[in-house]
Amino acid sequence: RVEFVQSGGGSVEAGGSLTLSCEASENIMNSHCLGWFRQSTGKEREEVARKYTGDTSADYAESLVGRFTLSQDNIKNTLFLQMNHLKPEDTAVYFCAADRRLVPDSTPCEFNYWSRGTQVTVSS
């Protein structure tokens, strides 16, 4: 079973930046999908970004385009989320996730492996 070790969360002032890391215990870089999600207190979990295997770029939640960037290090089995120009409404617990099913490339993502989450707090 894949285990994730997250790092990079914490507190930052509005306008600041953070980079989240998610290192997997085994190779997940060939997963059908990789993604980041977040959940704020009292709200449902929302998707931040997702990337299909083989794609050169990720898809982002509309409100985050231009501020957040998903990237990966295939050698270190690590997924990153670069977050810039942070806002108080970005405060949430952030999770990385992988869909490791062996399915056709066109199959929609269903994430079946999740990290435990890390807190990001943005103060105004």
Side-chain angles (χ1 to χ4, degrees):
R1 178 175 177 83
V2 176
E3 300 285 339
F4 294 101
V5 177
Q6 271 191 263
S7 61
S11 298
V12 65
E13 292 185 351
S17 299
L18 284 174
T19 299
L20 304 181
S21 300
C22 202
E23 182 178 0
S25 59
E26 56 188 80
N27 183 15
I28 63 165
M29 296 298 119
N30 58 353
S31 296
H32 176 54
C33 300
L34 295 170
W36 285 95
F37 292 76
R38 68 184 183 184
Q39 187 166 19
S40 304
T41 303
K43 296 184 178 180
E44 293 188 356
R45 185 174 60 198
E46 66 170 328
E47 183 176 288
V48 170
R50 70 168 56 190
K51 180 178 176 294
Y52 286 87
T53 184
D55 282 0
T56 57
S57 61
D59 298 317
Y60 299 90
E62 186 174 347
S63 63
L64 304 178
V65 173
R67 294 197 299 124
F68 287 21
T69 303
L70 180 156
S71 63
Q72 61 190 80
D73 184 327
N74 293 343
I75 295 175
K76 296 182 178 180
N77 295 323
T78 301
L79 192 65
F80 300 96
L81 184 68
Q82 173 69 42
M83 305 183 294
N84 298 323
H85 306 295
L86 283 162
K87 305 175 181 180
E89 52 263 42
D90 294 320
T91 295
V93 177
Y94 284 72
F95 305 86
C96 66
D99 174 354
R100 303 193 74 199
R101 297 174 299 154
L102 296 177
V103 294
D105 289 350
S106 59
T107 305
C109 299
E110 288 184 13
F111 292 92
N112 51 2
Y113 288 90
W114 294 85
S115 67
R116 294 186 176 183
T118 188
Q119 177 70 44
V120 171
T121 303
V122 185
S123 59
S124 58

